[in-house]
Amino acid sequence: AAFTLSYRLTQLPGGRRTLTLGYLMILTVFAIYGIYLYLTGDYERLTSTIYWANPAAAFLIPGVILVWDRASQSSQRWLFRPLALLLLVAFWLTDSRGASLVLGLTAVLFLAYKKPPILYWIHFLFIGILSFVLSIGFAQVRGLISPNGTVITPGSRFSEAAKGESVSGSDRIVYLKSAVAIWRDHPVVGSGAGTFGAVHPRYQSRVISAATDVHNWYIQVLAELGLVGEILLLILLVMVVRGVWRGVRAQPALLPWAAGIVALLLHFGLDIDAHYPALLALLAVWVGLVWRPADRERWGAVSLALPAGLVLAVILAAAANTSQLARAQGQAAQADGNYEAAAADFYRAHQTLVYDPATLNAEAINLYTLATLGTNPQDNLAVALDRARTAERLAPDDSQNYQLEGRVLSTQGNTKGAEAA
């Protein structure tokens, strides 16, 4: 829906400019707030409103490429240079090695295709170097403001990786090996969408290598959706690349937007970007700004795809949101010791179209607690057992469900069943 809306708006006068301006305005606030949090907060890397630094860096990349290019050649350098410095400083302060490598590779490809004059190169390098120096200055200011806080000089994490001191790099290799092993056991349709975190414990090489994400979108699709999902993803990517290429060939001025798309697609292979709706939406919108269909008339005839997709998205999102709200209310009631209300809330949480099987387990825990406190023990234990076994069928790799079944059976006097559970 985001892609379709973006593409449609580019057909209107000034549509592409308006969407791009809106993104740059969001990015300006994002960068300023991120620098504020970096200077005053406890975490040593810039994150802004995104929880982790690496996805925050990915969110910045398309805007960084665009304004960096404009600041190096545009007649409006007085506007784009300060903006480029701001966004680049924020980017360097994320201290994301993967994002920095992606930005560097994308910049090389971008400049090789663009073949700019020497003056452009001078401006381009000057802005990049000056912004990096400024980011080091901000790191020193952070040290003065928060003398007890951790200060990491931008770029220093590369030296850690070179010395073999980086744990995150080796962990990512472990995740990739686990994902490939999962795919080998489920080659056609995978282990199921979103199941890597639950299935991975069977494959992890050591206790501390637990993870809910492969940190590589393409390999995670292979593990969770098998060859079927991977082939569909590859078809989608081919359609995107061909449409973007046609767009750049038709309008060479769109090259900076295309470079942002390439950078995002590369970074999706290095981190948990696919878990962030903001990054998925940004990728979809950015593709819509550049994409050009092979047959414009045929594309123009499509009329029901967008409203149908929006209706489906709204229904599923509303169901998931209803479940999450009920779950949050159940957690609050449980914390207050109101187990009857908590059980009722968790029951509502799994009566929607989209829900987490853990809500079944949560309802059963509260029913089990009520039974042990003497409230309708037979009935509550029976329902708790049913919920635990239903959760086992939906989430067979979640050991908490079997543990709960065992506790219920033990309370009912079924010792052999409890031992088996």
Side-chain angles (χ1 to χ4, degrees), residues 12-96:
L12 300 176
R16 181 180 292 109
R17 182 177 180 276
T18 301
L19 271 177
T20 304
L21 180 61
Y23 167 63
L24 292 180
M25 290 173 65
I26 291 171
L27 219 54
T28 300
V29 176
F30 182 87
I32 293 173
Y33 183 60
I35 292 172
Y36 167 76
L37 287 181
Y38 172 80
L39 293 175
T40 59
D42 297 327
Y43 192 52
E44 65 270 15
R45 297 165 64 190
L46 184 142
T47 60
S48 190
T49 54
I50 291 183
Y51 188 72
W52 291 114
N54 295 339
F59 189 67
L60 285 160
I61 286 179
V64 164
I65 294 173
L66 180 62
V67 298
W68 201 352
D69 171 68
R70 291 292 183 270
S72 302
Q73 69 173 2
S74 172
S75 59
Q76 294 180 310
R77 290 195 185 106
W78 60 271
L79 172 63
F80 285 106
R81 278 186 179 174
L83 183 56
L85 288 173
L86 172 66
L87 299 187
L88 273 165
V89 166
F91 177 83
W92 299 131
L93 290 177
T94 63
D95 205 20
S96 172

Side-chain angles (χ1 to χ4, degrees), residues 33-182:
Y33 183 60
I35 292 172
Y36 167 76
L37 287 181
Y38 172 80
L39 293 175
T40 59
D42 297 327
Y43 192 52
E44 65 270 15
R45 297 165 64 190
L46 184 142
T47 60
S48 190
T49 54
I50 291 183
Y51 188 72
W52 291 114
N54 295 339
F59 189 67
L60 285 160
I61 286 179
V64 164
I65 294 173
L66 180 62
V67 298
W68 201 352
D69 171 68
R70 291 292 183 270
S72 302
Q73 69 173 2
S74 172
S75 59
Q76 294 180 310
R77 290 195 185 106
W78 60 271
L79 172 63
F80 285 106
R81 278 186 179 174
L83 183 56
L85 288 173
L86 172 66
L87 299 187
L88 273 165
V89 166
F91 177 83
W92 299 131
L93 290 177
T94 63
D95 205 20
S96 172
R97 289 174 298 211
S100 298
L101 290 172
V102 164
L103 180 62
L105 176 60
T106 306
V108 169
L109 296 173
F110 172 73
L111 294 171
Y113 187 88
K114 187 180 181 70
K115 297 177 182 177
I118 188 65
L119 187 61
Y120 178 100
W121 279 92
I122 294 173
H123 290 305
F124 192 86
L125 292 174
F126 174 75
I127 293 168
I129 294 171
L130 178 59
S131 63
F132 189 76
V133 172
L134 288 173
S135 70
I136 295 175
F138 274 101
Q140 300 306 312
V141 172
R142 170 186 165 87
L144 296 174
I145 294 175
S146 306
N148 296 325
T150 305
V151 178
I152 297 179
T153 303
S156 61
R157 297 176 71 242
F158 279 103
S159 62
E160 291 178 7
K163 295 175 184 176
E165 299 173 354
S166 173
V167 178
S168 62
S170 59
D171 281 346
R172 278 167 167 75
I173 295 174
V174 171
Y175 306 152
L176 288 171
K177 289 180 178 178
S178 297
V180 172
I182 292 170

Side-chain angles (χ1 to χ4, degrees), residues 340 366-381:
E340 289 186 8
N366 284 277
L367 292 173
Y368 170 80
T369 303
L370 288 169
T372 58
L373 293 174
T375 303
N376 297 327
Q378 277 191 323
D379 292 343
N380 281 331
L381 287 175

